[in-house]
Amino acid sequence: MTLIDGIGIGVVHLGNGLGASVPLGDLAVDLEERGFESLFLGEHTHIPDDRSSPFPPGGEIADSHLRFVDPFVGLMLAAARTERLRVGTAVCVPVHHDPIVLAKTIASLDALSGGRFVFGVGLGWNAAETANHRASFPERRDELRERIEAMQRLWTDDSASYDGRYVRFTPSLSLPRPAQQPHPPILLGCAPGPKAFAEVVGWADGWSPLKTSRRDLPARLAELDEAWDRAGRGPDRPRLQVPLRQPDAAAVAAVRALGVERVTFSMEPMDRDDARRHLDAIVSALRDVDG
């Protein structure tokens, strides 16, 4: 169920669901009641005192980013309180996780939610956070690829093994399987470019654009389609999830025409009454999207 036929409308919640912020379970219920398609949570395993890595939006790191709950715990709560709402990460940083444990967590969440999980992943921007996980910040692109490939094997192979530079494990069985086959959709959140698109077509199912204006989006999607075809990925097109700054009917209609599967809007921490008003304002703003 979506607000608008042909495109999903999702919310990326930047709150932690604790204290004065709307509880995540209640937010999930309010989203589903209003016809929203999905709820996404971001991730920081921790925030080092070393703040030398620039915060991508600029300025000091936002207070909300200091208080993220574990996204998989939060999303399981949201899934348990709803029946149709898709739940996902925007984004998880797999190089901050053991791939065997992360594969089990995702398979369990997808199985228990009835196949409602969307795996949004990214490279991570905080060098100190990455270093504390004993991963190489300069080499995180290659390490991400290995971890995703290793998890894909754990989700699909009866006897999965991996022998890479960053990930190694002996033949193993990992159950349960995800409900979605062969696995939940994997969307890489990144800025456009040849290297980024090589990763998308190499191991992901789609792209969530960063640092891409709506004006530039058609050209960037054409580049991704060309890379997809060169890689021989087949007739299915890459799945697309586009973050928009403001709920605007014309903007949603424009990206839907480009074949975008889902748009998302960010939501800052707020209490439940304010959250409901915020969601109602999005619904009202998008009411004329088909006009």
Side-chain angles (χ1 to χ4, degrees):
M1 182 177 183
T2 62
L3 279 168
I4 302 164
D5 288 341
I7 191 168
I9 308 297
V11 165
V12 179
H13 184 40
L14 300 178
N16 60 6
L18 301 174
S21 185
V22 55
L24 280 172
D26 292 343
L27 175 61
V29 169
D30 292 341
L31 285 165
E32 186 165 83
E33 286 179 348
R34 287 159 175 79
F36 284 82
E37 184 249 8
S38 49
L39 169 65
F40 291 84
L41 299 180
E43 176 185 55
H44 281 291
T45 56
H46 66 297
I47 298 293
D49 290 342
D50 177 353
R51 304 292 172 84
S52 58
S53 294
F55 185 49
E60 295 295 322
I61 184 170
D63 182 70
S64 58
H65 284 245
L66 305 177
R67 304 175 185 277
F68 284 171
V69 297
D70 179 281
F72 300 100
V73 174
L75 293 172
M76 190 64 249
L77 172 63
R81 292 285 304 276
T82 56
E83 296 179 357
R84 302 173 302 276
L85 191 75
R86 295 187 70 82
V87 296
T89 48
V91 294
C92 171
V93 183
V95 298
H96 295 173
H97 295 267
D98 179 296
I100 299 174
V101 176
L102 184 58
K104 169 75 79 170
T105 298
I106 290 170
S108 299
L109 172 54
D110 196 59
L112 291 171
S113 68
R116 289 189 274 153
F117 180 65
V118 180
F119 191 24
V121 303
L123 292 168
W125 58 268
N126 192 316
E129 186 179 7
T130 297
N132 284 344
H133 287 287
R134 298 188 178 183
S136 168
F137 193 75
E139 298 175 12
R140 68 197 191 284
R141 184 185 301 271
D142 293 335
E143 187 162 353
L144 173 61
R145 185 186 311 116
E146 285 199 4
R147 288 175 186 253
I148 294 293
E149 290 174 350
M151 288 190 289
Q152 289 170 331
R153 293 186 189 181
L154 288 163
W155 290 327
T156 58
D157 294 354
D158 289 335
S159 181
S161 62
Y162 200 90
D163 186 16
R165 179 178 180 183
Y166 307 98
V167 179
R168 296 184 183 87
F169 54 84
T170 59
S172 305
L173 175 64
S174 180
L175 296 175
R177 299 291 195 207
Q180 298 177 87
Q181 293 296 315
H183 51 70
I186 302 171
L187 306 179
L188 177 59
C190 60
K195 289 184 178 180
F197 287 161
E199 300 299 329
V200 174
V201 305
W203 50 260
D205 300 298
W207 179 45
S208 183
L210 301 179
K211 299 181 180 179
T212 308
S213 69
R214 190 158 57 90
R215 178 180 299 176
D216 291 338
L217 188 59
R220 303 292 83 80
L221 293 181
E223 293 172 8
L224 176 59
D225 278 341
E226 290 176 6
W228 193 267
D229 290 337
R230 287 196 303 270
R233 285 295 300 264
D236 292 338
R237 308 320 298 165
R239 304 175 76 156
L240 304 168
Q241 176 173 309
V242 174
L244 295 178
R245 290 180 179 272
Q246 300 293 333
D248 176 83
V252 172
V255 298
R256 181 179 61 179
L258 296 172
V260 169
E261 176 182 28
R262 176 183 302 110
V263 297
T264 60
F265 301 101
S266 293
M267 178 177 169
E268 296 291 337
M270 57 186 76
D271 65 27
R272 192 174 190 184
D273 288 340
D274 286 341
R276 284 171 163 171
R277 283 189 285 269
H278 178 75
L279 298 178
D280 289 339
I282 295 175
V283 172
S284 178
L286 301 183
R287 189 165 289 145
D288 297 327
V289 73
D290 291 307

